[in-house]
Amino acid sequence: MATVNIDARRAELDNKVRNGLAKIGFNGTSEQLTKFYNENAEDYNEMGALANYQKLGCHAFIAALSELVPNKEARILDVAAGTGFAGKELRRFGYSNVDALEPAEKMVDLAKSENIYGNYIIDTVTPDEKTDIEDETYDALCIMGAVLKGHITLECLPELMRITKKGGVIIFNVAEKYFDSDHGDPQFQNGNHVTVFQNYVENGDWLKWDELEAPYRYSEKCTIFRIVLA
């Protein structure tokens, strides 16, 4: 009976978040999306826990990062950190110098209650405006579950690169369901991202990039992208 209740609760939360995002549109403004996540922070946190997000997606994601960033004292920024799922896993892997960037203050409050991060930056990454973060501040950036339409897109790469040190790492994942979906970043449709990425390599901005398939949540899969800056 307990399993049935858990499954029902998972479906309820999934539908609530999915329908809420659909209602404002994945093309909603930053303000609309931040308001949505503030209003649904606790449900989002519970949904992630019930979806085994920590054991599945987060573990695989941080394991992929650790292959490129062996220094446990590296300065890392968790971008679109939410309530801190990736941050918790970074701590489990032994990383001790981790900050969070997240626009939704209610989500930040939940992360603060568990003392997950060192510093909390209330801000949004957009293609049009710089954050207040200084150039070349971080050794690595993590963006887990936030690269999709209306959130963080490949158009944000110049700003993400600006705040990452030379030779640093940017890692993000994209859920399999978003590759050819109206909700995904259009640049991932039909493999167009490959051209974008190769241009960065050929222009000397990146040393290399790769991708690997990994678990996401439930039985869903995602692709993890790892970028090493020149």
Side-chain angles (χ1 to χ4, degrees):
M1 181 63 70
T3 301
V4 173
N5 289 339
I6 289 172
D7 288 344
R9 182 59 176 162
R10 283 174 177 166
E12 177 188 354
L13 291 170
D14 253 8
N15 288 333
K16 181 178 181 181
V17 171
R18 210 178 296 257
N19 292 339
L21 284 172
K23 186 175 181 180
I24 63 174
F26 279 77
N27 285 325
T29 64
S30 294
E31 292 76 14
Q32 288 174 316
L33 288 166
T34 298
K35 181 175 183 288
F36 170 81
Y37 284 116
N38 272 324
E39 291 173 347
N40 294 278
E42 292 189 5
D43 285 342
Y44 178 90
N45 200 41
E46 183 184 356
M47 181 180 73
L50 292 177
N52 287 327
Y53 198 36
Q54 196 78 51
K55 292 181 180 179
L56 295 174
C58 292
H59 182 82
F61 186 76
I62 304 307
L65 168 73
S66 68
E67 293 175 0
L68 298 180
V69 186
N71 179 10
K72 301 302 183 182
E73 295 180 1
R75 192 168 186 196
I76 299 174
L77 181 65
D78 185 3
V79 179
T83 59
F85 284 102
K88 289 178 188 175
E89 200 63 21
L90 283 162
R91 294 291 187 189
R92 287 193 179 97
F93 270 74
Y95 293 101
S96 59
N97 195 6
V98 184
D99 295 341
L101 184 149
E102 168 59 47
E105 293 190 47
K106 296 292 186 183
M107 287 195 161
V108 168
D109 288 344
L110 288 172
K112 282 182 176 179
S113 71
E114 297 189 60
N115 197 30
I116 296 171
Y117 300 100
N119 297 298
Y120 297 83
I121 303 165
I122 310 295
D123 207 347
T124 303
V125 177
T126 70
D128 306 317
E129 294 183 21
K130 289 184 177 182
T131 62
D132 290 333
I133 300 169
E134 296 290 333
D135 293 358
E136 298 184 37
T137 295
Y138 290 97
D139 297 295
L141 302 189
C142 298
I143 313 155
M144 184 164 179
V147 176
L148 67 156
K149 188 181 290 185
H151 294 64
I152 294 176
T153 65
L154 294 188
E155 292 180 345
C156 298
L157 277 170
E159 173 60 9
L160 298 171
M161 292 160 58
R162 181 187 70 79
I163 64 175
T164 306
K165 295 178 183 177
K166 295 187 185 305
V169 172
I170 299 172
I171 181 171
F172 62 90
N173 62 357
V174 178
E176 188 176 64
K177 61 187 177 184
Y178 289 136
F179 272 98
D180 291 306
S181 161
D182 289 340
H183 298 158
D185 182 342
Q187 293 193 73
F188 282 101
Q189 294 181 3
N190 302 315
N192 291 336
H193 66 283
V194 175
T195 300
V196 174
F197 292 178
Q198 284 303 114
N199 284 340
Y200 278 114
V201 174
E202 291 169 10
N203 290 338
D205 298 309
W206 298 359
L207 285 179
K208 61 182 180 179
W209 68 277
D210 66 6
E211 60 182 81
L212 55 147
E213 185 179 281
Y216 188 55
R217 45 172 225 156
Y218 302 128
S219 59
E220 297 172 358
K221 299 291 184 182
C222 71
T223 298
I224 296 174
F225 293 92
R226 303 186 298 184
I227 298 160
V228 180
L229 301 188

